[in-house]
Amino acid sequence: MSAEAPYATLDPDRVLDAVTACGLWPDGRLLALNSYENRVWQVGLDDAAPVIAKFYRPYRWSDAAILEEHAFALELAADELPVVAPLVFGGRTLLHHDGFRYALTPRRGGRAPSLESNEQLEWLGRLIARIHGVGARQSFVHRGLIDRATLIEQPMQAVLASTLLPPALHAAYRAAAERVDSAVAARMETVGPVRQLRLHGDCHPGNVLWTDGGPHFVDLDDARMGPAVQDLWMLAHDESAMNALLDGYQQMRDFDFSELALVPALRAMRQLHYAGWIAARWHDPAFPAAFPFAAEARWWEQHITDLHELAEAL
């Protein structure tokens, strides 16, 4: 398996063989789902509901870190929280086939939440608070933190090492990224220590599906330790939405309002990380096809401008 093209050998036959190896009987229907970091397929089964097969990107997470993700999802499900957890086969959730690591989950459909609805926002706030109640019971050991090393330093080095960033922009990019880093560090120091929890970690609207029975969360692939507000700010498009989320959250769990001052820092780190993620994954053939703008100098010029604006806002 090549680090340059990690999924080159993951063809439909291997996906079907991997599902068959679990004792299931695929009917040949495959649907590739939208995922760039991993590869995810919906697999039809004979006389049973389809399953979702998620093949983990090689070299990103250790087995121990993936198992922590699975254990957290199963713990949430055991507390009757609507989170999609991996299926267990022979006592195992992390499976191996032909050099790939993968997991199977039930298929759970739904639609995007209405983030204009205070009722739905409050519902999401209550659900996130319950997730955090479970997340506060213990800590991740292998999955790391939402911190500057992970979301600023590593992505910055990936960009600087990439051929995507024009050489003429190296100094300007480094200066902008370091300015963001300094501003984020200052903001974190001002806020002071906050409680670190096991989080969903990537709680954006695309990872929430709504049915007639309410919301459920998918994709704990970015679960990490971090502040509670990390799982709230991406669902809040303005102050009113955040207030609705917090109204629901506080019905189930106390919230430390000092964490709201971290939102601009978290937003800045996410934007810097996004560019670094694209740069680090550019060798994967799916990335140039999905993000062609990253090969243009003008996009990096705008990104540098955006970083300075984020630093200024902080």
Side-chain angles (χ1 to χ4, degrees):
M1 185 185 306
S2 168
E4 293 299 307
Y7 296 107
T9 62
L10 184 62
D11 56 24
D13 286 341
R14 279 190 171 82
V15 174
L16 294 173
D17 288 346
V19 175
T20 301
C22 298
L24 304 178
W25 295 97
D27 61 11
R29 291 176 299 158
L30 283 179
L31 177 64
L33 302 181
N34 186 27
S35 178
Y36 298 108
E37 185 64 11
N38 304 297
R39 293 296 184 269
V40 183
W41 302 74
Q42 178 178 296
V43 183
L45 300 179
D46 283 334
D47 300 323
V51 293
I52 304 300
K54 172 182 176 181
F55 291 81
Y56 287 91
R57 177 172 291 275
Y59 316 114
R60 184 191 179 207
W61 291 113
S62 67
D63 284 5
I66 295 173
L67 289 170
E68 276 194 328
E69 171 204 337
H70 291 180
F72 186 35
L74 291 167
E75 186 181 356
L76 293 168
D79 274 39
E80 300 184 345
L81 285 162
V83 172
V84 179
L87 297 170
V88 182
F89 297 92
R92 296 179 297 123
T93 55
L94 180 58
L95 311 167
H96 297 79
H97 183 77
D98 269 2
F100 288 99
R101 298 174 301 170
Y102 68 105
L104 303 184
T105 63
R107 183 189 65 174
R108 295 285 185 266
R111 59 188 181 275
S114 173
L115 299 183
E116 305 296 329
S117 165
N118 281 353
E119 179 183 359
Q120 290 198 11
L121 287 166
E122 288 184 21
W123 196 333
L124 285 170
R126 290 192 295 272
L127 176 52
I128 292 168
R130 293 178 63 205
I131 290 173
H132 289 177
V134 175
R137 292 175 184 167
Q138 57 184 317
S139 298
F140 286 136
V141 175
H142 302 284
R143 295 196 66 84
L145 301 169
I146 292 173
D147 58 12
R148 289 163 49 223
T150 303
L151 296 177
I152 297 181
E153 178 62 26
Q154 291 175 16
M156 180 177 70
Q157 295 304 325
V159 169
L160 291 170
S162 171
T163 58
L164 287 175
L165 182 67
L169 296 178
H170 271 229
Y173 170 80
R174 182 186 290 276
E178 289 179 347
R179 186 181 178 199
V180 168
D181 187 36
S182 296
V184 167
R187 177 61 63 98
M188 289 180 167
E189 184 176 357
T190 298
V191 172
V194 296
R195 186 174 185 185
Q196 303 289 303
L197 310 169
R198 290 180 297 170
L199 303 173
H200 181 285
D202 193 25
C203 212
H204 61 75
N207 280 334
V208 182
L209 294 175
W210 206 281
T211 68
D212 291 342
H216 59 272
F217 282 96
V218 298
D219 194 7
L220 286 166
D221 196 59
D222 287 295
R224 295 180 184 273
M225 298 293 294
V229 74
Q230 168 67 17
D231 279 351
L232 296 167
W233 74 266
M234 280 181 274
L235 297 171
H237 56 85
D238 59 20
E239 184 177 353
S240 175
M242 178 62 86
N243 288 338
L245 282 167
L246 289 175
D247 284 346
Y249 192 98
Q250 292 181 101
Q251 292 172 30
M252 307 301 296
R253 194 170 189 274
D254 290 338
F255 179 76
D256 179 0
F257 278 82
S258 70
E259 291 187 16
L260 290 177
L262 292 173
V263 171
L266 294 169
R267 183 178 292 113
M269 288 195 293
R270 185 173 180 82
Q271 191 157 334
L272 196 150
H273 178 267
Y274 174 70
W277 174 65
I278 293 174
R281 300 288 186 255
W282 196 251
H283 57 265
D284 182 332
F287 276 69
F291 309 104
F293 53 80
E296 300 177 8
R298 61 183 177 178
W299 187 81
W300 290 99
E301 291 167 353
Q302 183 59 54
H303 178 57
I304 290 167
T305 299
D306 292 344
L307 292 181
H308 281 297
E309 290 177 354
L310 290 166
E312 186 67 28
L314 279 165

